Amino acid sequence: MKNLAYYDAVSWEVRVERDIRADGSIYYVARHPEFGTVSGPLGTGTTPEEALADLREARQSLIALMLERGDPVPEPPPVRVDARA
C-alpha cells in the first residue's frame, strides 16, 4: 500500500509564480498541477524557496488526510524517455 513516505518521494511537477500584493510587495505561490488549481496544496512565501517549503508541508498534510479518508491521491504521469535520443 502506498503511504506518505511513498508520496513524499514522488517527483511532483512544481509551478512557482510571482505575484504582487495590494501593498506592492512581491510574493511567490507554488502549486502541483496534478492536484488541480482549486483543491490542491498551495505554498506561499516571500522567496521561491519559502513557497516550495510551504508547498511541501501543505502537500504532506493534504496527502495524509486523503490517505486517512481513503481518497485517491493524484500522481504525476510517468516520465517518458525517448529511446532515439
Side-chain angles (χ1 to χ4, degrees):
M1 181 174 175
K2 296 177 181 176
N3 60 18
L4 191 55
Y6 166 83
Y7 288 109
D8 202 34
V10 167
S11 294
W12 297 99
E13 183 178 344
V14 176
R15 293 192 184 150
V16 179
E17 300 170 350
R18 189 177 97 151
D19 210 342
I20 299 175
R21 291 188 174 101
D23 66 3
S25 62
I26 295 172
Y27 72 104
Y28 295 86
V29 178
R31 293 183 175 92
H32 293 303
E34 295 87 354
F35 286 89
T37 57
V38 177
S39 62
L42 176 76
T44 61
T46 57
T47 66
E49 294 79 14
E50 284 180 11
L52 291 171
D54 193 42
L55 174 62
R56 183 172 188 260
E57 288 180 28
R59 182 188 68 235
Q60 289 174 334
S61 295
L62 177 60
I63 290 174
L65 177 63
M66 293 173 86
L67 291 171
E68 182 179 304
R69 295 187 337 195
D71 294 340
V73 178
E75 292 188 47
V79 175
R80 293 182 55 188
V81 177
D82 188 348
R84 298 174 290 165

